[in-house]
Amino acid sequence: ANLNPQIVIIGSGISGLAAADRLLKAGFQHVRILEATKRSGGRIKTSALGTSVVEIGANWIHGPSEENPVFRLARQYGLLEEKALSLENQTIDVNGHPVLYPNVFTSSGRKLNVEDIVPAEELFTEIMEESSQFVTGGGEPFPSVGEFVRAQVQQRVEEKWKDIDEPAKSLLLCTISTLLKLESGINGAHSMDEVGLGAFGQYKSLPGLDCTFPGGYEGLIKNMMEGLPSGLVTYHQPVRCVHWNATEKKEKPVIIQCNNGEMIAADHVIVTIPLGFLKKHHSTLFSPPLPLNKIHSIQRLGFGTNNKIFVEFDSAWWDADCEIILPLWEDEDPLVPEKPDLPRSWIKKLSCFTVFKPAERYGHMLCGWIAGQESEYMETLSEQEVRDSVTQLVRRFTANPVITPKRILRSQWFHHPWTLGSYSYLAKGCSVQDVENLMEPLPTNRSQAQPMQVLFAGEATHPCYFSTVHGALLSGQREADRLISHYSSRNSSASPKS
Ligand code: 6YU
């Protein structure tokens, strides 16, 4: 029996690194990672704007508490602040939706009282909680969360808001519209109309109030890399094609063909390539092609774009206690979805600005969030064009014609050639079965002489923590464990070292 197999991992994001770490610690000696870009971390990417640390990709540890492996690692490496480490922070449970104190501005330049929008926030939260009650798929009243939310809003406002006058009611509806945009960003979808209702409850949140890495998320990657052998990762090595079932009886069933022509033989390959790339390239990335059920699931599962626009100002035009700025477009009605007019009104899709805290560390910095087609269009504009649109937006909503951003920086995940979007979601028509199809190793026929040739990890393969760093990390460990238990069951007395 081959107890020292050649294992190749494609992708040096957190899932690839987690898989390598597990395998090496279990004694596998021939493990290597092929990475298309010049760096490790993938969608964990820290940059700087002025003197501030900004995250181009992942922002928070979602649910920083004992059960979250990213929290445990960050704590072990000493990367978190005291507040995030406190038991109190770990036990706060907000069901994945931290409540941020808002400032609300409207497109006619009014700053609203926060109390004015409370009925909309309450109704929205109530309906979103109901949306999460659907788990299994089948029997749900609407195919998408968006359609469900609209129907529920329509049904309930007559009764709930009957004592509210028409102008105030219309502002509440605008608020729902902004909250829907924000929610679509959280889900990484163009609109909540794309997010499936049947499986919406599949996503699980962990307790703990979301926290950031004061020194940058990439600190996590740097520390993980320090524990791994140097030379583990080959950079600038994009993989063109994974030839599986390559040889009938010879030792290495998988041949990995790289863009530069190099051919690498392996017993097992763990593919951590983002779903966005798989959607576009699966037909050329695998030979023979993937089984039909996997292809269908790759096509059905959602992978959208959520981008950030960092904007720095000389001084704050928001309140000292403000954590999020919500722009309300007064002509918007969430019950009547608009067709996007990208060149003219892409900026209307910007759902909110989150405020960097504390100001002593970051200055007066905001992060604007924009998802979907408008976000993908934004990526095609020059930085100056983005800056102009953001400036106009801020001036209009604050009725202050002189506010001018000092610096700006945006992410462009849709045009990132090895990611092609931001993260995955369970789209309309999906169930957790699609995630299971995606993660199923090849060949699927277990009786085959050379099983587990191709394994699948990465954020999109986690059934309940998809779209997160901890989901990605756990998926890498899962696939490593699959190989570890395969080898230990093949020969329970021998270790891969022997
Ligand atoms: C989190 C957060 N966060 C914001 C934004 C983004 C993401 N996420 P990788 O892509 O890292 O690695 C693959 C590697 O493969 C990569 O290096 C490629 O170059 C390489 N590769 C590709 N093709 C190749 C080839 N052919 N050959 C060789 N190499 C190749 N997660 O926990 N907190 O705040 C955010 C956010 C803008 C873009 C995020 C966040 C997602 C994570 O970043 C992501 O899951 C992992 O980093 C992925 O790691 P990986 O290893 O799988 O892939 C109710 C309900 C709602 C449901 N969702 C709500 C959850 C909220 C999710 N929120 C995210 C939000 C933000 C803001």
Side-chain angles (χ1 to χ4, degrees):
N2 176 9
L3 288 169
N4 210 344
Q6 296 279 352
I7 305 175
V8 173
I9 298 166
I10 307 178
S12 195
I14 189 121
S15 60
L17 293 174
D21 180 60
R22 252 300 138 106
L23 290 165
L24 290 162
K25 284 195 174 122
F28 288 86
Q29 286 157 354
H30 301 299
V31 179
R32 61 182 295 195
I33 302 181
L34 306 178
E35 167 56 47
T37 69
K38 62 177 180 198
R39 56 179 285 278
S40 287
R43 282 170 274 175
I44 295 175
K45 188 169 196 289
T46 305
S47 185
L49 183 59
T51 54
S52 301
V53 166
V54 293
E55 303 292 359
I56 302 298
N59 225 74
W60 294 282
I61 301 183
H62 289 308
S65 52
E66 215 48 56
E67 220 186 298
N68 187 327
V70 174
F71 173 72
R72 293 199 306 271
L73 269 183
R75 178 177 61 190
Q76 179 194 325
Y77 296 141
L79 301 174
L80 300 179
E81 280 172 317
E82 232 168 86
K83 180 175 173 266
L85 295 169
S86 71
L87 209 55
E88 191 199 341
N89 198 79
Q90 290 182 51
T91 42
I92 298 175
D93 199 345
V94 290
N95 218 358
H97 281 74
V99 183
L100 302 175
Y101 185 76
N103 276 184
V104 188
F105 295 87
T106 79
S107 49
S108 64
R110 289 187 291 154
K111 182 163 182 267
L112 302 184
N113 289 321
V114 172
E115 303 80 63
D116 295 343
I117 64 155
V118 166
E121 286 184 320
E122 284 177 355
L123 179 61
F124 189 75
T125 307
E126 183 183 307
I127 298 174
M128 287 313 294
E129 271 166 19
E130 286 172 32
S131 308
S132 300
Q133 304 304 313
F134 302 96
V135 198
T136 46
E140 65 275 12
F142 292 93
S144 75
V145 176
E147 288 154 283
F148 177 70
V149 170
R150 278 206 300 280
Q152 296 304 311
V153 168
Q154 197 143 33
Q155 236 177 54
R156 293 179 204 193
V157 291
E158 288 302 319
E159 175 54 28
K160 274 191 192 274
W161 298 349
K162 63 178 183 301
D163 300 326
I164 300 178
D165 62 32
E166 278 310 314
K169 211 187 268 181
S170 126
L171 272 182
L172 290 176
L173 287 174
C174 297
T175 309
I176 301 253
S177 178
T178 296
L179 295 175
L180 268 172
K181 287 183 224 174
L182 209 160
E183 190 63 36
S184 73
I186 293 172
N187 283 270
H190 169 65
S191 136
M192 290 309 286
D193 289 16
E194 322 264 312
V195 179
L197 180 61
F200 193 56
Q202 199 62 46
Y203 179 80
K204 293 278 170 292
S205 59
L206 290 166
L209 193 60
D210 291 3
C211 67
T212 56
F213 291 73
Y217 225 125
E218 257 190 65
L220 180 70
I221 300 296
K222 195 171 148 270
N223 276 275
M224 284 174 87
M225 296 292 294
E226 275 165 15
L228 293 167
S230 64
L232 171 72
V233 187
T234 308
Y235 294 102
H236 298 293
Q237 188 69 292
V239 168
R240 169 161 299 157
C241 185
V242 175
H243 301 266
W244 54 291
N245 269 345
T247 45
E248 283 285 308
K249 289 194 192 72
K250 282 216 202 104
E251 244 183 47
K252 304 280 175 259
V254 188
I255 307 288
I256 296 152
Q257 180 187 359
C258 299
N259 273 12
N260 66 0
E262 206 173 312
M263 298 289 212
I264 298 165
D267 295 286
H268 309 281
V269 53
I270 303 181
V271 175
T272 77
I273 295 175
L275 177 61
F277 190 95
L278 294 181
K279 275 181 181 284
K280 189 164 173 196
H281 298 293
H282 69 80
S283 64
T284 50
L285 190 59
F286 297 94
S287 172
L290 296 173
L292 271 182
N293 72 338
K294 206 186 269 285
I295 293 178
H296 289 155
S297 292
I298 287 172
Q299 290 166 338
R300 260 199 303 266
L301 286 164
F303 195 79
T305 305
N306 191 17
N307 274 313
K308 309 178 188 186
I309 308 175
F310 300 99
V311 201
E312 196 186 1
F313 295 90
D314 283 320
S315 58
W317 45 269
W318 51 92
D319 298 342
D321 54 356
C322 167
E323 296 171 301
I324 186 168
I325 297 167
L326 297 175
L328 306 189
W329 293 88
E330 290 189 30
D331 58 346
E332 254 175 17
D333 182 345
L335 305 179
V336 190
E338 282 176 49
K339 256 208 145 104
D341 175 356
L342 297 176
R344 278 192 57 236
S345 50
W346 65 269
I347 193 83
K348 286 180 85 174
K349 192 64 177 296
L350 191 144
S351 64
C352 69
F353 290 105
T354 46
V355 183
F356 279 69
K357 302 253 168 161
E360 302 79 62
R361 185 188 300 155
Y362 294 104
H364 307 290
M365 177 95 86
L366 301 177
C367 175
W369 294 84
I370 181 161
Q373 286 162 17
E374 294 84 348
S375 187
E376 292 163 8
Y377 177 77
M378 179 277 291
E379 293 188 22
T380 66
L381 301 175
S382 70
E383 199 168 282
Q384 187 58 44
E385 287 170 308
V386 175
R387 178 197 280 255
D388 290 345
S389 294
V390 172
T391 307
Q392 277 170 22
L393 174 93
V394 172
R395 288 180 178 175
R396 174 173 177 175
F397 278 71
T398 56
N400 178 338
V402 295
I403 295 181
T404 306
K406 198 159 98 184
R407 273 188 276 253
I408 193 158
L409 178 73
R410 39 81 194 257
S411 61
Q412 291 170 294
W413 284 105
F414 183 64
H415 287 86
H416 188 289
W418 311 105
T419 314
L420 300 168
S422 296
Y423 41 87
S424 66
Y425 61 93
L426 296 182
K428 234 167 28 178
C430 280
S431 74
V432 73
Q433 184 61 51
D434 290 301
V435 182
E436 275 155 22
N437 290 344
L438 183 62
M439 74 165 95
E440 192 178 13
L442 301 176
T444 45
N445 178 0
R446 302 248 162 110
S447 62
Q448 195 118 358
Q450 290 155 311
M452 295 193 205
Q453 295 175 28
V454 191
L455 300 95
F456 294 83
E459 141 303 285
T461 71
H462 199 285
C464 61
Y465 300 141
F466 54 86
S467 77
T468 67
V469 173
H470 54 282
L473 183 141
L474 288 168
S475 75
Q477 294 179 340
R478 176 194 70 216
E479 295 311 313
D481 287 343
R482 209 191 282 276
L483 285 176
I484 293 165
S485 64
H486 172 65
Y487 279 90
S488 57
S489 68
R490 266 173 47 158
N491 188 343
S492 53
S493 63
S495 85
K497 279 195 188 109
S498 53

